[in-house]
PDB file of all heavy atoms in Angstrom:
ATOM      1  N   THR C  26       6.981   0.928 -66.929  1.00 98.00           N
ATOM      2  CA  THR C  26       6.025   1.300 -67.965  1.00 98.00           C
ATOM      3  C   THR C  26       6.674   1.097 -69.324  1.00 98.00           C
ATOM      4  O   THR C  26       7.902   1.018 -69.412  1.00 98.00           O
ATOM      5  CB  THR C  26       5.530   2.758 -67.800  1.00 98.00           C
ATOM      6  OG1 THR C  26       4.295   2.925 -68.512  1.00 98.00           O
ATOM      7  CG2 THR C  26       6.531   3.784 -68.316  1.00 98.00           C
ATOM      8  N   THR C  27       5.847   1.027 -70.371  1.00 98.00           N
ATOM      9  CA  THR C  27       6.375   0.770 -71.711  1.00 98.00           C
ATOM     10  C   THR C  27       6.013   1.896 -72.677  1.00 98.00           C
ATOM     11  O   THR C  27       5.089   2.672 -72.419  1.00 98.00           O
ATOM     12  CB  THR C  27       5.788  -0.535 -72.290  1.00 98.00           C
ATOM     13  OG1 THR C  27       4.365  -0.422 -72.276  1.00 98.00           O
ATOM     14  CG2 THR C  27       6.214  -1.752 -71.511  1.00 98.00           C
ATOM     15  N   ARG C  28       6.716   1.928 -73.771  1.00 98.00           N
ATOM     16  CA  ARG C  28       6.407   2.859 -74.868  1.00 98.00           C
ATOM     17  C   ARG C  28       5.084   2.439 -75.510  1.00 98.00           C
ATOM     18  O   ARG C  28       4.830   1.239 -75.685  1.00 98.00           O
ATOM     19  CB  ARG C  28       7.538   2.741 -75.898  1.00 98.00           C
ATOM     20  CG  ARG C  28       7.323   3.497 -77.188  1.00 98.00           C
ATOM     21  CD  ARG C  28       8.330   2.992 -78.212  1.00 98.00           C
ATOM     22  NE  ARG C  28       9.652   3.534 -77.920  1.00 98.00           N
ATOM     23  CZ  ARG C  28      10.186   4.602 -78.555  1.00 98.00           C
ATOM     24  NH1 ARG C  28       9.529   5.193 -79.522  1.00 98.00           N
ATOM     25  NH2 ARG C  28      11.363   5.045 -78.231  1.00 98.00           N
ATOM     26  N   ILE C  29       4.248   3.407 -75.846  1.00 98.00           N
ATOM     27  CA  ILE C  29       2.988   3.076 -76.534  1.00 98.00           C
ATOM     28  C   ILE C  29       3.333   2.645 -77.963  1.00 98.00           C
ATOM     29  O   ILE C  29       4.061   3.354 -78.676  1.00 98.00           O
ATOM     30  CB  ILE C  29       2.026   4.279 -76.565  1.00 98.00           C
ATOM     31  CG1 ILE C  29       1.679   4.716 -75.135  1.00 98.00           C
ATOM     32  CG2 ILE C  29       0.751   3.945 -77.346  1.00 98.00           C
ATOM     33  CD1 ILE C  29       0.809   5.949 -75.048  1.00 98.00           C
ATOM     34  N   ALA C  30       2.813   1.500 -78.372  1.00 98.00           N
ATOM     35  CA  ALA C  30       3.083   1.013 -79.731  1.00 98.00           C
ATOM     36  C   ALA C  30       2.435   1.958 -80.744  1.00 98.00           C
ATOM     37  O   ALA C  30       1.303   2.400 -80.526  1.00 98.00           O
ATOM     38  CB  ALA C  30       2.517  -0.395 -79.901  1.00 98.00           C
ATOM     39  N   VAL C  33      -0.975   1.032 -81.688  1.00 98.00           N
ATOM     40  CA  VAL C  33      -1.970   1.328 -80.648  1.00 98.00           C
ATOM     41  C   VAL C  33      -2.401   2.792 -80.766  1.00 98.00           C
ATOM     42  O   VAL C  33      -3.592   3.119 -80.735  1.00 98.00           O
ATOM     43  CB  VAL C  33      -1.371   1.024 -79.247  1.00 98.00           C
ATOM     44  CG1 VAL C  33      -2.232   1.599 -78.128  1.00 98.00           C
ATOM     45  CG2 VAL C  33      -1.187  -0.484 -79.077  1.00 98.00           C
ATOM     46  N   MET C  37      -6.263   4.467 -81.597  1.00 98.00           N
ATOM     47  CA  MET C  37      -6.934   5.351 -80.629  1.00 98.00           C
ATOM     48  C   MET C  37      -7.339   6.697 -81.239  1.00 98.00           C
ATOM     49  O   MET C  37      -8.304   7.323 -80.807  1.00 98.00           O
ATOM     50  CB  MET C  37      -5.991   5.612 -79.442  1.00 98.00           C
ATOM     51  CG  MET C  37      -5.745   4.399 -78.586  1.00 98.00           C
ATOM     52  SD  MET C  37      -4.391   4.661 -77.420  1.00 98.00           S
ATOM     53  CE  MET C  37      -5.027   6.016 -76.471  1.00 98.00           C
ATOM     54  N   SER C 214      -2.730  -4.424 -66.798  1.00 98.00           N
ATOM     55  CA  SER C 214      -2.622  -2.976 -66.945  1.00 98.00           C
ATOM     56  C   SER C 214      -2.081  -2.633 -68.332  1.00 98.00           C
ATOM     57  O   SER C 214      -1.053  -3.181 -68.745  1.00 98.00           O
ATOM     58  CB  SER C 214      -1.655  -2.454 -65.883  1.00 98.00           C
ATOM     59  OG  SER C 214      -1.499  -1.070 -66.012  1.00 98.00           O
ATOM     60  N   GLY C 215      -2.745  -1.712 -69.026  1.00 98.00           N
ATOM     61  CA  GLY C 215      -2.357  -1.383 -70.399  1.00 98.00           C
ATOM     62  C   GLY C 215      -0.927  -0.905 -70.553  1.00 98.00           C
ATOM     63  O   GLY C 215      -0.207  -1.316 -71.463  1.00 98.00           O
ATOM     64  N   HIS C 216      -0.491  -0.034 -69.617  1.00 98.00           N
ATOM     65  CA  HIS C 216       0.812   0.615 -69.847  1.00 98.00           C
ATOM     66  C   HIS C 216       2.004  -0.309 -69.639  1.00 98.00           C
ATOM     67  O   HIS C 216       3.145   0.066 -69.895  1.00 98.00           O
ATOM     68  CB  HIS C 216       0.950   1.893 -69.006  1.00 98.00           C
ATOM     69  CG  HIS C 216       1.148   1.702 -67.535  1.00 98.00           C
ATOM     70  ND1 HIS C 216       2.360   1.912 -66.935  1.00 98.00           N
ATOM     71  CD2 HIS C 216       0.300   1.357 -66.543  1.00 98.00           C
ATOM     72  CE1 HIS C 216       2.245   1.706 -65.627  1.00 98.00           C
ATOM     73  NE2 HIS C 216       1.003   1.376 -65.364  1.00 98.00           N
ATOM     74  N   LYS C 217       1.744  -1.556 -69.208  1.00 98.00           N
ATOM     75  CA  LYS C 217       2.847  -2.507 -69.064  1.00 98.00           C
ATOM     76  C   LYS C 217       3.074  -3.303 -70.337  1.00 98.00           C
ATOM     77  O   LYS C 217       4.010  -4.084 -70.425  1.00 98.00           O
ATOM     78  CB  LYS C 217       2.581  -3.477 -67.909  1.00 98.00           C
ATOM     79  CG  LYS C 217       2.244  -2.825 -66.584  1.00 98.00           C
ATOM     80  CD  LYS C 217       3.412  -2.125 -65.932  1.00 98.00           C
ATOM     81  CE  LYS C 217       2.990  -1.635 -64.551  1.00 98.00           C
ATOM     82  NZ  LYS C 217       4.074  -1.024 -63.812  1.00 98.00           N
ATOM     83  N   PHE C 218       2.134  -3.163 -71.299  1.00 98.00           N
ATOM     84  CA  PHE C 218       2.383  -3.889 -72.558  1.00 98.00           C
ATOM     85  C   PHE C 218       1.999  -3.044 -73.777  1.00 98.00           C
ATOM     86  O   PHE C 218       1.327  -3.502 -74.685  1.00 98.00           O
ATOM     87  CB  PHE C 218       1.779  -5.301 -72.559  1.00 98.00           C
ATOM     88  CG  PHE C 218       0.277  -5.420 -72.479  1.00 98.00           C
ATOM     89  CD1 PHE C 218      -0.450  -5.931 -73.537  1.00 98.00           C
ATOM     90  CD2 PHE C 218      -0.404  -5.070 -71.333  1.00 98.00           C
ATOM     91  CE1 PHE C 218      -1.829  -6.081 -73.474  1.00 98.00           C
ATOM     92  CE2 PHE C 218      -1.789  -5.208 -71.248  1.00 98.00           C
ATOM     93  CZ  PHE C 218      -2.490  -5.709 -72.317  1.00 98.00           C
ATOM     94  N   HIS C 219       2.494  -1.813 -73.771  1.00 98.00           N
ATOM     95  CA  HIS C 219       2.487  -0.952 -74.961  1.00 98.00           C
ATOM     96  C   HIS C 219       1.135  -0.321 -75.294  1.00 98.00           C
ATOM     97  O   HIS C 219       0.919   0.104 -76.424  1.00 98.00           O
ATOM     98  CB  HIS C 219       3.088  -1.685 -76.172  1.00 98.00           C
ATOM     99  CG  HIS C 219       4.452  -2.247 -75.894  1.00 98.00           C
ATOM    100  ND1 HIS C 219       5.548  -1.441 -75.668  1.00 98.00           N
ATOM    101  CD2 HIS C 219       4.888  -3.532 -75.751  1.00 98.00           C
ATOM    102  CE1 HIS C 219       6.608  -2.202 -75.426  1.00 98.00           C
ATOM    103  NE2 HIS C 219       6.234  -3.464 -75.455  1.00 98.00           N
ATOM    104  N   ALA C 220       0.233  -0.255 -74.313  1.00 98.00           N
ATOM    105  CA  ALA C 220      -0.971   0.582 -74.406  1.00 98.00           C
ATOM    106  C   ALA C 220      -0.728   1.774 -73.460  1.00 98.00           C
ATOM    107  O   ALA C 220       0.270   1.788 -72.731  1.00 98.00           O
ATOM    108  CB  ALA C 220      -2.197  -0.221 -74.006  1.00 98.00           C
ATOM    109  N   PRO C 221      -1.611   2.767 -73.450  1.00 98.00           N
ATOM    110  CA  PRO C 221      -1.323   3.920 -72.581  1.00 98.00           C
ATOM    111  C   PRO C 221      -1.577   3.657 -71.093  1.00 98.00           C
ATOM    112  O   PRO C 221      -2.228   2.680 -70.736  1.00 98.00           O
ATOM    113  CB  PRO C 221      -2.298   4.993 -73.081  1.00 98.00           C
ATOM    114  CG  PRO C 221      -3.230   4.346 -73.991  1.00 98.00           C
ATOM    115  CD  PRO C 221      -2.799   2.944 -74.268  1.00 98.00           C
ATOM    116  N   LYS C 222      -1.068   4.573 -70.265  1.00 98.00           N
ATOM    117  CA  LYS C 222      -1.382   4.565 -68.832  1.00 98.00           C
ATOM    118  C   LYS C 222      -2.838   4.969 -68.664  1.00 98.00           C
ATOM    119  O   LYS C 222      -3.327   5.826 -69.390  1.00 98.00           O
ATOM    120  CB  LYS C 222      -0.492   5.574 -68.097  1.00 98.00           C
ATOM    121  CG  LYS C 222       0.977   5.229 -68.150  1.00 98.00           C
ATOM    122  CD  LYS C 222       1.837   6.484 -67.974  1.00 98.00           C
ATOM    123  CE  LYS C 222       3.287   6.197 -68.296  1.00 98.00           C
ATOM    124  NZ  LYS C 222       3.510   5.938 -69.753  1.00 98.00           N
ATOM    125  N   VAL C 224      -5.580   2.624 -68.239  1.00 98.00           N
ATOM    126  CA  VAL C 224      -6.588   1.630 -68.633  1.00 98.00           C
ATOM    127  C   VAL C 224      -6.141   0.250 -68.139  1.00 98.00           C
ATOM    128  O   VAL C 224      -4.958  -0.090 -68.208  1.00 98.00           O
ATOM    129  CB  VAL C 224      -6.861   1.641 -70.164  1.00 98.00           C
ATOM    130  CG1 VAL C 224      -5.622   1.285 -70.981  1.00 98.00           C
ATOM    131  CG2 VAL C 224      -8.027   0.735 -70.528  1.00 98.00           C
ATOM    132  N   TYR C 257      -8.871   4.590 -74.858  1.00 98.00           N
ATOM    133  CA  TYR C 257      -7.903   3.737 -74.160  1.00 98.00           C
ATOM    134  C   TYR C 257      -8.332   2.267 -74.202  1.00 98.00           C
ATOM    135  O   TYR C 257      -7.499   1.362 -74.243  1.00 98.00           O
ATOM    136  CB  TYR C 257      -7.743   4.223 -72.709  1.00 98.00           C
ATOM    137  CG  TYR C 257      -6.916   5.482 -72.629  1.00 98.00           C
ATOM    138  CD1 TYR C 257      -7.266   6.613 -73.358  1.00 98.00           C
ATOM    139  CD2 TYR C 257      -5.770   5.539 -71.843  1.00 98.00           C
ATOM    140  CE1 TYR C 257      -6.502   7.766 -73.309  1.00 98.00           C
ATOM    141  CE2 TYR C 257      -5.004   6.685 -71.792  1.00 98.00           C
ATOM    142  CZ  TYR C 257      -5.368   7.793 -72.524  1.00 98.00           C
ATOM    143  OH  TYR C 257      -4.609   8.917 -72.480  1.00 98.00           O
ATOM    144  N   GLY C 260      -7.251   1.124 -77.351  1.00 98.00           N
ATOM    145  CA  GLY C 260      -5.788   1.002 -77.304  1.00 98.00           C
ATOM    146  C   GLY C 260      -5.346  -0.288 -76.645  1.00 98.00           C
ATOM    147  O   GLY C 260      -4.496  -1.013 -77.169  1.00 98.00           O
ATOM    148  N   ILE C 261      -5.955  -0.615 -75.515  1.00 98.00           N
ATOM    149  CA  ILE C 261      -5.508  -1.832 -74.805  1.00 98.00           C
ATOM    150  C   ILE C 261      -5.894  -3.070 -75.618  1.00 98.00           C
ATOM    151  O   ILE C 261      -5.165  -4.066 -75.636  1.00 98.00           O
ATOM    152  CB  ILE C 261      -6.045  -1.894 -73.346  1.00 98.00           C
ATOM    153  CG1 ILE C 261      -5.194  -2.857 -72.497  1.00 98.00           C
ATOM    154  CG2 ILE C 261      -7.505  -2.267 -73.256  1.00 98.00           C
ATOM    155  CD1 ILE C 261      -5.470  -2.812 -71.005  1.00 98.00           C
ATOM    156  N   ALA C 262      -7.028  -2.985 -76.336  1.00 98.00           N
ATOM    157  CA  ALA C 262      -7.430  -4.128 -77.163  1.00 98.00           C
ATOM    158  C   ALA C 262      -6.420  -4.337 -78.291  1.00 98.00           C
ATOM    159  O   ALA C 262      -6.043  -5.476 -78.612  1.00 98.00           O
ATOM    160  CB  ALA C 262      -8.831  -3.902 -77.724  1.00 98.00           C
ATOM    161  N   ALA C 264      -3.281  -3.502 -78.155  1.00 98.00           N
ATOM    162  CA  ALA C 264      -2.065  -4.036 -77.518  1.00 98.00           C
ATOM    163  C   ALA C 264      -2.217  -5.543 -77.301  1.00 98.00           C
ATOM    164  O   ALA C 264      -1.255  -6.304 -77.471  1.00 98.00           O
ATOM    165  CB  ALA C 264      -1.807  -3.326 -76.191  1.00 98.00           C
TER     166      ALA C 264
END
Side-chain angles (χ1 to χ4, degrees):
T26 200
T27 56
R28 173 195 284 261
I29 300 176
V33 167
M37 292 169 61
S214 179
H216 72 106
K217 307 289 186 176
F218 64 114
H219 306 293
K222 296 155 191 69
V224 62
Y257 285 55
I261 200 170

